[in-house]
Amino acid sequence: MSILCPTDFSAASGAAADVAAALAQRLNVPLRLLHCASDWIPAGEVIVPLSDEGMIRRQLEKEADRLRGGGELEIRLEPRSGIPYQEIVASAVFERPELLVIGSTGRGRAERWLIGSVAERVAERAPVPTLVVREPDALLSWLRTGSDLRLLCAVDRTVSAGAALTELASLKALGGLQIEAASIGTGRSADYAGDPETRQRDIWERLRETIGEAPVQVHVRDQPGDAVAAFLDIAGERKVNLLVVGSHQRQGWERLKAPSFSRGVLTHAHHNVLCVPAEAVAPSGTEAGTSLPRVERILLATKFAENWPDAVRTALALLPDGGRVHLVHVCPEPKRGLNPLVASAVYFDHCLETVRDREEAERKFRELPESCTNIPGVRLTSEVMVNDEVAGTVCDLAERMGADLICLETRGVSKAGALLGSTVLGVLSKAHKPVLLVPPPLP
């Protein structure tokens, strides 16, 4: 157990180190002070070695003495060289700290390695909660004098938001909090459904399950297309000191498919930001990765094979009170023909087929037997989607809604194709969630 704090010896990173030292003292854990120097810098056409571990260590020792202030705080020095954000993340992976604390506007000497996006890159890749310090005074006052800290937590139904809520329990143990939560409706499957009062009630219940009884103010707004702006507007209106957001930590093409809310907040906020990765937080009393998973939300993708009601009943049987099964059927997307002379006719035929498929799916969802639809304490919802990439659509929806499990039936062939074939294999190969396959009953 430790607090990890990278520094470039600038005033901004020094302020972040003050916060990290206060946290380490409050938690009675060591502070790991890390500095990463570039291996070299270009000087004209000559590559000049820059890293001097002896000099770096002396600077770290001087900073450590300042942070101790004559006290007995245990500080471990970590001089490194390489690409800064990669070395910081590697250190967090090698020995997982309780928290990573980093400044976001520091400027060191020649390498200036904390400028700009380094703090954001670390927060998006580190396997532990990362506190990006931009306004240290409020955090230091909270930790040193016992004043309350006003925070705003982003809440939806995703796993990453659940991780952020779980981290609130750890913050409560450090000092007084004035907790506010914001739910921004954007039209996604991960949003809380219903009128504002219903959404507020659902969020209060989730907060109570996570952090216990505590006064919480919940803000519910609808702003399709720009959840980050709405969230930051609330933060400005409420004059909060800390923003708490979860992160899926998507990279590469995954980020292009689903714009990152946490990255938007990290980029545009002027507040302190605590970014919590979805996999970083385990239930109280356990270590990350060792707790038994709890199934509360199941995505059931169906092609309406003969045994699909059995798959629904199986999914419902797995849920506790308050759980949810979301049914989805993916219709094939209409395609234009390759020959432009017949493209319109082919496209028209495919559109009709898709319309018929959609109507048939909606009818089957409505006609589910009461043994599936009237389960006390369990919510059953459904939707029909249109996309050619069935497996990818299912996996993306599972991530957006925060599903704990994907359920598929494995028998039968529909007009859209055999679910037992490429779709199941595609989901198995792409999903980052457990997948349950429900076979047909024995003859």
Side-chain angles (χ1 to χ4, degrees):
M1 202 74 71
S2 63
I3 301 293
L4 175 61
C5 179
T7 180
D8 69 348
F9 310 118
S10 67
S13 60
D18 290 336
V19 173
L23 284 164
Q25 288 175 328
R26 180 64 65 89
L27 294 169
N28 194 27
V29 297
L31 172 63
R32 292 159 51 198
L33 200 59
L34 181 152
H35 177 78
C36 177
S38 300
D39 293 321
W40 53 267
I41 58 172
E45 296 181 356
V46 181
I47 293 177
V48 179
L50 183 66
S51 179
D52 182 342
E53 185 170 335
M55 181 181 67
I56 293 172
R57 183 169 288 276
R58 288 191 295 273
Q59 288 181 295
L60 285 171
E61 289 172 350
K62 181 179 179 180
E63 179 69 352
D65 289 340
R66 183 187 73 83
L67 293 171
R68 289 191 190 96
E72 298 181 353
L73 175 64
E74 180 183 352
I75 300 181
R76 302 173 187 172
L77 308 182
E78 295 190 19
R80 286 176 173 254
S81 62
I83 299 174
Y85 81 88
Q86 292 180 355
E87 293 298 319
I88 297 167
V89 173
S91 178
V93 170
F94 179 74
E95 184 181 349
R96 290 202 175 199
E98 180 81 4
L99 187 68
L100 195 158
V101 182
I102 186 170
S104 69
T105 58
R107 283 169 171 79
R109 296 163 15 234
E111 61 271 31
R112 302 171 66 188
W113 61 270
L114 276 183
I115 187 171
S117 64
V118 171
E120 297 164 15
R121 289 181 178 180
V122 170
E124 292 167 354
R125 291 167 172 81
V128 297
T130 299
L131 175 61
V132 179
V133 178
R134 292 180 172 130
E135 298 174 332
D137 291 345
L139 297 171
L140 290 172
S141 177
W142 173 55
L143 292 167
R144 291 174 176 173
T145 69
S147 63
D148 284 355
L149 182 71
R150 184 187 292 271
L151 65 82
L152 179 67
C153 184
V155 184
D156 58 20
R157 299 198 65 87
T158 61
V159 174
S160 60
L165 291 177
T166 303
E167 187 67 10
L168 294 184
S170 300
L171 294 177
K172 278 183 65 180
L174 294 173
L177 298 177
Q178 296 180 25
I179 301 174
E180 303 193 24
S183 172
I184 312 299
T186 60
R188 302 176 306 147
S189 299
D191 295 341
Y192 283 91
D195 56 73
E197 291 77 13
T198 301
R199 290 157 63 184
Q200 283 187 328
R201 185 179 65 250
D202 289 345
I203 295 168
W204 276 322
E205 290 175 355
R206 192 175 185 189
L207 285 163
R208 190 180 302 113
E209 292 173 359
T210 308
I211 64 175
E213 295 293 338
V216 179
Q217 184 165 351
V218 177
H219 307 275
V220 174
R221 290 190 183 178
D222 292 318
Q223 188 161 335
D226 201 350
V228 171
F231 183 69
L232 295 181
D233 285 346
I234 296 172
E237 293 166 7
R238 302 302 301 168
K239 295 180 170 58
V240 300
N241 310 120
L242 176 66
L243 305 179
V244 182
V245 296
S247 173
H248 288 290
Q249 297 189 320
R250 296 186 180 97
Q251 304 297 327
W253 288 107
E254 291 298 317
R255 178 182 292 169
L256 294 178
K257 291 195 300 182
S260 171
F261 176 81
S262 61
R263 181 176 177 82
V265 173
L266 286 165
T267 301
H268 299 292
H270 299 289
H271 308 74
N272 303 304
V273 180
L274 178 60
C275 188
V276 186
E279 305 304 324
V281 180
S284 177
T286 67
E287 296 182 1
T290 64
S291 60
L292 292 175
R294 180 178 173 85
V295 177
E296 296 181 333
R297 292 182 293 276
I298 296 177
L299 174 64
L300 193 155
T302 180
K303 287 291 186 181
F304 301 112
E306 183 180 351
N307 64 319
W308 85 275
D310 294 332
V312 176
R313 282 187 280 268
T314 299
L316 292 168
L318 296 173
L319 291 175
D321 285 348
R324 174 193 175 196
V325 172
H326 186 66
L327 308 176
V328 64
H329 173 73
V330 183
C331 302
E333 188 172 8
K335 288 185 177 179
R336 294 188 180 273
L338 296 178
N339 186 338
L341 296 176
V342 297
S344 298
V346 171
Y347 184 70
F348 180 75
D349 289 343
H350 286 181
C351 284
L352 290 178
E353 183 179 351
T354 298
V355 169
R356 287 192 293 266
D357 191 6
R358 189 184 192 101
E359 292 176 347
E360 181 71 5
E362 292 171 346
R363 181 186 64 79
K364 289 182 177 180
F365 283 149
R366 290 194 301 270
E367 294 177 356
L368 264 173
E370 289 190 4
S371 60
C372 295
T373 58
N374 293 332
I375 307 295
V378 176
R379 194 152 57 104
L380 187 68
T381 57
S382 64
E383 71 175 303
V384 180
M385 305 179 72
V386 178
N387 199 302
D388 269 339
E389 218 325 298
V390 178
T393 302
V394 170
C395 294
D396 288 345
L397 178 57
E399 291 291 335
R400 293 198 308 271
M401 68 170 282
D404 303 303
L405 183 72
I406 299 173
C407 184
L408 307 169
E409 82 262 18
T410 61
R411 182 188 177 187
V413 178
S414 71
K415 294 180 180 178
L419 188 61
L420 183 58
S422 61
T423 300
V424 168
L425 293 176
V427 171
L428 289 172
S429 65
K430 296 178 180 180
H432 298 288
K433 308 283 185 180
V435 179
L436 173 65
L437 303 180
V438 180
L442 293 174

